[in-house]
Amino acid sequence: SFAQNNSNQASKLLTQYYAVKDALVNGNGGTASAKAAEFMTTAKALDAQTLPEPSRTDLLKDAANISKTKDIKKQREYLADFSDHMFTLAKTTKLSEMPIYKAYCPMKKASWLSDNPAIKNQYYGNAMLTCGKVVETLK
């Protein structure tokens, strides 16, 4: 069915977002850049019903910013907006059968999304991996 296929494509966005985030947790700027480029390819292929405005424009801009640099500090800054925009989309479009956890880092004043309630803070990587807490869960 077409609608089902669309939701699979939308869920692919979340999987690719997670791949970008995980690369940043691991401190791998090259992987984060490549995964952000994959995210853009998926986002561009989605129709306006599956990926409505302004989410499309916001997410493509965020992913482009991350893909254009391998500087992990910059990528981590861009991830804050990327995460907020993904959460906006996740509230209106079912991206996963699994819960989506929104975690918040009080030191960076920035959020991120995870498929796991365990905190792995990609804003600091290994320096402060467990800083933060889950503030919202989408089921």
Side-chain angles (χ1 to χ4, degrees):
S1 71
F2 185 64
Q4 184 56 43
N5 186 33
N6 268 357
S7 88
N8 286 348
Q9 286 302 309
S11 71
K12 197 171 167 188
L13 284 179
L14 184 65
T15 304
Q16 289 170 333
Y17 163 88
Y18 286 153
V20 172
K21 173 192 66 85
D22 290 343
L24 294 177
V25 169
N26 297 327
N28 192 326
T31 302
S33 173
K35 294 296 178 185
E38 285 175 24
F39 179 98
M40 290 172 71
T41 303
T42 302
K44 284 176 181 166
L46 293 176
D47 62 29
Q49 203 177 347
T50 313
L51 183 57
E53 294 293 358
S55 286
R56 174 187 297 271
T57 302
D58 289 341
L59 289 168
L60 280 170
K61 184 177 151 211
D62 300 330
N65 284 336
I66 293 171
S67 74
K68 278 189 298 214
T69 181
K70 292 188 172 69
D71 178 336
I72 198 139
K73 277 195 162 149
K74 284 191 180 139
Q75 290 175 329
R76 283 174 168 154
E77 281 168 26
Y78 293 134
L79 193 87
D81 279 345
F82 193 19
S83 300
D84 288 343
H85 294 141
M86 275 303 288
F87 196 66
T88 300
L89 178 66
K91 281 181 156 170
T92 56
T93 303
K94 187 150 177 70
L95 296 179
S96 175
E97 292 303 314
M98 305 300 291
I100 299 172
Y101 300 94
K102 182 183 186 182
Y104 180 74
C105 171
M107 292 184 61
K108 279 284 180 194
K109 295 187 173 44
S111 303
W112 71 93
L113 308 185
S114 179
D115 56 357
N116 190 313
I119 296 294
K120 287 194 175 163
N121 184 332
Q122 76 296 314
Y123 292 112
Y124 290 104
N126 288 339
M128 295 181 59
L129 199 56
T130 58
C131 175
K133 63 179 192 289
V134 172
V135 290
E136 205 170 332
T137 305
L138 289 182
K139 289 198 165 111

